[in-house]
Amino acid sequence: MGFARTCSVALVGVEGVVVEVQADLEPGVAAFTLVGLPDKSLTESRDRVRAAIVNSDAEWPQKKLTVGLSPAAVPKAGSGFDLAVACATLGAAERIDPRVLVDIVMIGELGLDGRVRPVPGVLPAVLAAAEAGYVKVVVPERTAAEASLVPGVSVLGVRSLRQLIAVLTDEPVPEEEPDEMGRPDPSLAGLSVPGAGVGAGLGVYAGDREHQLDLADVVGQGPARAAIEVAAAGGHHLFLSGPPGAGKTMLVERMPTVMPPLTRQESLEVTAVHSVAGILPPGRPLVETPPFCAPHHSATMQSLVGGGNGLPRPGAVSLAHRGVLFLDEAPEFGAKALDALRQPLEAGHVVVARAAGVVRLPARFLMVLAANPCPCGRYTLVGDACDCPPFVIRRYQARLSGPLLDRVDLKVAVDPVTRSELSGLVGQGESTETVAHRVREARERAAARLTGTPWRTNSEVPGHELRTRWQTGPGALAEAERDLERGLLSARGLDRVLRVAWTIADLAQHARPDEHDVMLALQLRTGVSRGVPMAIGGGG
């Protein structure tokens, strides 16, 4: 009887569980049994593995083969176990020394010809292996750069099963035939899951758009530009309301280019989510810029917060982790889908429960809502342009619930662009480079102040800490406290005003918020003019 074991990783959401792959050969009628809660794609690995071993010039054992995946109670999905199943089988057949396989984690799908194809979720799988104490990992060659992002792990990237057998048996490593010039590389298949990121509006990263999307392209809109800057500097949620064609979408699309690059830890978090979702682009092993996710208003609740058959997959809120979630035409979204955003907005993560298990997905994003004032969009225009009845306007605006809007820090009305602004008679707005520099300095001031705490941006700081530990200037909160007494501002609203005031003070290089900073924060929070110029730094 032959026995061998090696390891692979099962993904549960964006977290990995190390799975021991055991192969047992015993006399009897030739058969292949796979046990341990495999899904359909994993069950089919029996045929893929058999063909791959035969086509890799290795002999298939003519005995009763049983492959077990332990722990058996954890559901296993996907084709990433193929490589481990093949090597465990060869180890049981003594083609490979079983002792060599014990401390190696193997991740990869096998083609029928023995080629090793990449699979989604390599980064979180290798992170799980490293946390479990493994230091040797075998992955497809195309995902070796992604796996190498994890420190302290020795990564071997292989292109075929034939090459891996040679490495494990100390034989000369065969050279694979190069692909024909001009033809697509077949080993790239598997890096992207069809449709996984298209519906989320996540086709382009901020770093790819910096050369073409500049804030200087936006004409006018001084108040909205100031709100964009404050939101990017402090991580505050934003609501833009205005008629069609005013430039709301143009402004929001340029928002990720204003935000600072991701830190190393944030990059690993974002890359892990995108890797699991199958939307990590080839040649980009690490996402270094804030993602931008803009789902269509027909998106379901499951596509926003996560879901799907079996174990839940990341939704739009997780794909926008550490970036921007843009809900254009927000009132057109379903009420259930919008209200499902309340919990991740507060907690920074989303917990999705399904029959197959409960998954915790990261979801700390900056939400931007954009809406027209009425169904026709002409309600705020001068003259009798709108023909919507009053009850239709009220019902349309009521689609955004009060509890959801209460979690939004900044509310700005976007006015139509005037002829003088379009003709260039008014000075051009600041460029992305100028605003991004100011935002980066404000983030650095906030990070220095919050050193030694679990928070990194002003939007994350609890209100109690702002009222006791970091206090405003003398008399700065007088107007805000009067609004609280009149019922115009809730306790949560006061906390959010304080957070915005600290961000404005950081942008203005103030040691702490003064009366002007708090008044501007109130103006941005309530949307009611307080007589304060809507200008941040040199903007406006």
Side-chain angles (χ1 to χ4, degrees):
M1 183 180 70
F3 177 82
R5 59 189 175 92
T6 187
C7 292
S8 190
V9 178
L11 290 176
V12 183
V14 294
E15 299 176 351
V17 177
V18 175
V19 173
E20 187 175 84
V21 180
Q22 306 167 348
D24 175 73
L25 280 174
E26 57 186 32
V29 179
F32 189 170
T33 305
L34 184 64
V35 296
L37 286 185
D39 73 338
K40 181 66 174 176
S41 61
L42 182 50
T43 302
E44 293 175 347
S45 68
R46 295 178 298 185
D47 300 315
R48 291 194 300 269
V49 168
R50 181 187 292 110
I53 288 179
V54 172
N55 290 324
S56 298
D57 302 328
E59 184 179 349
W60 178 259
Q62 297 300 318
K63 295 182 180 180
K64 182 181 179 182
L65 172 63
T66 303
V67 174
L69 308 175
S70 179
V74 176
K76 290 88 179 176
S79 56
F81 293 87
D82 288 3
L83 202 58
V85 171
C87 288
T89 301
L90 292 172
E94 298 183 352
R95 175 66 176 86
I96 302 174
D97 186 351
R99 294 172 296 181
V100 176
L101 302 173
V102 173
D103 297 325
I104 301 179
V105 174
M106 301 185 181
I107 305 160
E109 176 187 331
L110 285 175
L112 298 183
D113 57 354
R115 281 180 292 119
V116 181
R117 295 178 177 273
V119 292
V122 168
L123 177 59
V126 177
L127 284 169
E131 290 176 0
Y134 291 88
V135 295
K136 296 180 181 178
V137 178
V138 178
V139 298
E141 185 182 56
R142 289 290 178 177
T143 57
E146 180 183 345
S148 299
L149 297 173
V150 182
V153 176
S154 175
V155 177
L156 172 62
V158 294
R159 196 173 182 85
S160 68
L161 178 60
R162 187 183 298 106
Q163 286 184 339
L164 179 57
I165 295 173
V167 171
L168 295 177
T169 56
D170 291 329
E171 298 174 359
V173 179
E175 290 290 337
E176 295 293 335
E177 295 182 5
D179 297 310
E180 297 181 20
M181 295 297 294
R183 296 188 61 183
D185 188 347
S187 66
L188 289 175
L191 276 176
S192 299
V193 177
V198 176
L202 219 166
V204 185
Y205 289 86
D208 301 326
R209 302 194 303 266
E210 287 178 350
H211 66 284
Q212 56 183 353
L213 296 185
D214 196 306
L215 272 177
D217 300 334
V218 181
V219 177
Q221 304 304 352
R225 291 171 64 97
I228 289 286
E229 183 174 344
V230 172
H236 305 288
H237 306 304
L238 172 64
F239 177 40
L240 298 176
S241 176
K248 301 187 294 293
T249 303
M250 281 186 68
L251 278 166
V252 180
E253 286 178 341
R254 286 152 177 78
M255 193 168 186
T257 64
V258 175
M259 298 171 67
L262 301 177
T263 64
R264 177 72 177 186
Q265 180 61 34
E266 291 171 344
S267 295
L268 289 175
E269 294 174 7
V270 174
T271 303
V273 175
H274 291 197
S275 179
V276 169
I279 59 174
L280 198 62
R284 188 195 296 270
L286 186 66
V287 179
E288 298 176 323
T289 53
F292 179 81
C293 188
H296 190 259
H297 59 73
S298 62
T300 62
M301 182 177 69
Q302 288 77 13
S303 67
L304 284 180
V305 300
N309 296 327
L311 287 174
R313 295 181 58 82
V317 296
S318 296
L319 298 179
H321 181 58
R322 301 296 181 183
V324 177
L325 177 67
F326 178 39
L327 303 182
D328 200 4
E329 306 296 343
E332 301 296 339
F333 282 80
K336 289 185 177 179
L338 288 176
D339 287 338
L341 299 177
R342 294 192 215 167
Q343 187 252 349
L345 283 173
E346 290 290 334
H349 63 266
V350 59
V351 178
V352 184
R354 295 291 185 269
V358 179
V359 173
R360 183 180 185 273
L361 300 168
R364 187 167 296 282
F365 55 90
L366 193 162
M367 182 182 69
V368 182
L369 305 174
N372 296 327
C374 68
C376 74
R378 301 189 297 269
Y379 176 61
T380 56
L381 298 179
V382 179
D384 193 16
C386 177
D387 53 7
C388 299
F391 75 93
V392 173
I393 298 175
R394 288 196 301 270
R395 186 171 59 188
Y396 181 80
Q397 295 177 348
R399 291 181 182 177
L400 298 178
S401 66
L404 178 65
L405 290 179
D406 196 39
R407 289 167 168 81
V408 177
D409 301 336
L410 313 172
K411 301 180 180 71
V412 177
V414 181
D415 298 323
V417 181
T418 63
R419 186 178 66 176
S420 60
E421 289 172 334
L422 279 176
S423 60
L425 298 178
V426 180
Q428 188 181 30
E430 292 179 307
S431 66
T432 290
E433 184 179 359
T434 302
V435 177
H437 177 72
R438 203 157 52 233
V439 168
R440 187 166 56 251
E441 288 186 338
R443 284 273 186 116
E444 290 172 354
R445 275 190 286 272
R449 183 173 62 252
L450 299 173
T451 300
T453 70
W455 315 298
R456 292 294 174 267
T457 59
N458 291 322
S459 62
E460 302 173 14
V461 183
H464 172 73
E465 296 288 337
L466 291 176
R467 292 190 298 271
T468 58
R469 186 172 178 179
W470 295 290
Q471 297 184 357
T472 61
L477 286 177
E479 185 71 18
E481 290 171 348
R482 279 195 291 269
D483 282 2
L484 182 65
E485 292 174 354
R486 297 170 187 163
L488 302 177
L489 203 63
S490 64
R492 175 190 286 161
L494 179 61
D495 289 345
R496 293 187 177 275
V497 167
L498 277 172
R499 293 168 185 162
V500 175
W502 271 104
T503 300
I504 295 172
D506 289 334
L507 287 166
Q509 302 184 22
H510 296 162
R512 55 181 178 170
D514 55 20
E515 184 179 2
H516 176 275
D517 297 331
V518 176
M519 291 288 285
L520 181 52
L522 274 171
Q523 188 166 297
L524 288 168
R525 165 73 184 178
T526 61
V528 178
S529 176
R530 308 281 173 145
V532 181
M534 291 283 284
I536 306 293

